[in-house]
Amino acid sequence: MSRPLSLFSVSAILILAIDDGSRILTKYYSNPHPPQGQTDYPGQIAYKTVKDQKTFEKGLLEKTAKQTTDIILYDQKVIVFKMESDVMLYVVGGPEENEVLLYSVVLALRDSLNILLKNSVDKRTVIENYDLVSLAVDELVDDGIILETDPVTVASRVSRPPAQDMTSMKNIDLSEQGFLNAWEFGKRQLAERIRQGL
């Protein structure tokens, strides 16, 4: 029996430290639209407690530390991974997931982090720039659904605004009178557009 079609394909994204096995960033996903009436379905979260997650991550790190390939089957899950300096990047999918698709996600994660962190993807830099890393993961995958695999697009959506754009923000009046002036201006513009449309 074939499984129902679903966009849900990523069970977890993990960034773990190689030296001590600590968690840097972990996101576990469950299928946002489970089949009705089924208790065991593809995309059901397998590791519900933090203890189960840490056990899985520890075993995964031990298994992949000696691997020469980037794709393995572990605990009935397809896992693709990349090592960067002293961190491991993992993308976990179900046993029937397309390895090439998952591999494109881990490559996009690695490349977008290299762009955002200026080719310095290590434990210290990832922790210092946790906000950018977390946003990059969210731009790649949402609720287990792959949104984007182009690292340049991901990095452009995540990166901080340029400093020259922030200088124009200095001239904005954030007082109560400034907000009232902006409100009145918006009302006049809306009224003008409504009159032009009629």
Side-chain angles (χ1 to χ4, degrees):
M1 181 174 151
S2 66
R3 67 182 189 147
L5 289 176
S6 172
L7 293 175
F8 181 83
S9 54
V10 177
S11 301
I13 293 183
L14 313 169
I15 301 177
L16 306 175
I18 295 173
D19 55 357
D20 58 358
S22 62
R23 310 168 100 190
I24 299 173
L25 181 138
T26 60
K27 290 198 177 226
Y28 288 86
Y29 305 103
S30 63
N31 194 333
H33 305 290
Q36 290 186 355
Q38 292 184 8
T39 56
D40 186 27
Y41 55 88
Q44 182 181 19
I45 193 162
Y47 312 105
K48 295 182 179 172
T49 66
V50 174
K51 182 181 177 186
D52 292 342
Q53 292 172 2
K54 286 185 176 182
T55 304
F56 170 73
E57 293 160 12
K58 182 181 178 195
L60 182 61
L61 200 56
E62 289 172 1
K63 177 89 173 173
T64 56
K66 301 174 182 93
Q67 290 290 325
T68 56
T69 62
D70 293 339
I71 301 172
I72 64 167
L73 187 65
Y74 176 74
D75 198 23
Q76 299 180 359
K77 306 236 178 290
V78 173
I79 299 170
V80 294
F81 59 96
K82 280 290 183 188
M83 182 170 52
E84 283 290 310
S85 185
D86 58 351
V87 296
M88 287 287 265
L89 311 172
Y90 295 100
V91 176
V92 181
E96 297 175 0
E97 279 309 323
N98 185 336
E99 297 90 357
V100 176
L101 182 66
L102 296 176
Y103 195 68
S104 68
V105 174
V106 80
L107 289 179
L109 176 62
R110 180 198 64 184
D111 295 343
S112 61
L113 291 181
N114 276 316
I115 292 168
L116 290 167
L117 304 177
K118 299 174 180 49
N119 293 322
S120 179
V121 181
D122 55 58
K123 180 180 175 182
R124 183 173 158 249
T125 309
V126 169
I127 291 171
E128 287 174 355
N129 296 286
Y130 189 84
D131 56 342
L132 293 176
V133 175
S134 182
L135 287 171
V137 169
D138 289 343
E139 285 295 328
L140 284 166
V141 175
D142 183 38
D143 270 343
I145 299 170
I146 299 168
L147 300 176
E148 183 66 61
T149 57
D150 180 25
V152 175
T153 304
V154 170
S156 68
R157 289 180 183 165
V158 170
S159 61
R160 295 185 175 113
Q164 69 267 16
D165 290 348
M166 295 307 288
T167 57
S168 64
M169 294 287 288
K170 292 178 183 174
N171 298 331
I172 295 178
D173 183 13
L174 296 177
S175 67
E176 186 176 342
Q177 185 60 44
F179 283 119
L180 288 173
N181 291 343
W183 173 258
E184 289 300 321
F185 177 76
K187 279 183 10 184
R188 286 193 305 270
Q189 292 295 320
L190 180 62
E192 183 65 32
R193 294 222 175 157
I194 291 173
R195 271 188 252 124
Q196 289 176 356
L198 296 175

